[in-house]
Amino acid sequence: MNKTLQFILEIIRVSLILFIGLLILGYVEKTIVQLLGFTEFNWTLIFIADLLFIYILYKNKLQFTGWFKSTHNKTLSRSGTRFALGAAIFCFIIGIVTNIIL
């Protein structure tokens, strides 16, 4: 396969990973938040947290299993992964807590 076709297939794959990942994370988070007894929460911050989780997963694992092979593929550094994971957890918690406070 030529590089253009591989790139297009990889873009489709990334789009599917985002779509399916956001569906699964959204359902799990909605269930958890409802089990905790909250009825409303800030979806924007939780969406940002979900994007960060999927970004970490893609950069550290999924980019090496796709169609588009590149010499530039490398994982996030340990500190970069920790920072992004901390930011995602922070966004998730703030997304829930803001509606309790307000």
Side-chain angles (χ1 to χ4, degrees):
M1 272 193 281
N2 64 11
K3 288 282 188 185
T4 305
L5 181 58
Q6 289 175 340
F7 180 74
I8 291 170
L9 287 173
E10 188 67 19
I11 293 295
I12 293 169
R13 180 176 169 264
V14 169
S15 299
L16 286 173
I17 289 170
L18 272 173
F19 179 74
I20 293 169
L22 289 172
L23 275 176
I24 292 170
L25 285 173
Y27 177 76
V28 169
E29 291 164 348
K30 182 179 177 184
T31 303
I32 290 171
V33 169
Q34 286 176 346
L35 286 174
L36 293 174
F38 303 115
T39 56
E40 294 182 20
F41 41 93
N42 189 338
W43 278 107
T44 305
L45 287 173
I46 293 177
F47 179 74
I48 292 170
D50 291 347
L51 287 178
L52 284 169
F53 281 130
I54 293 170
Y55 175 73
I56 294 168
L57 179 66
Y58 183 80
K59 284 295 285 182
N60 288 340
K61 298 286 181 193
L62 298 176
Q63 76 174 337
F64 302 108
T65 61
W67 287 290
F68 189 71
K69 303 297 182 200
S70 173
T71 58
H72 301 290
N73 288 352
K74 54 184 167 179
T75 61
L76 290 173
S77 66
R78 185 175 297 266
S79 61
T81 300
R82 286 182 180 166
F83 177 78
L85 188 59
I89 292 169
F90 178 76
C91 285
F92 182 74
I93 291 171
I94 295 300
I96 294 172
V97 172
T98 53
N99 287 326
I100 296 171
I101 296 171
L102 301 175

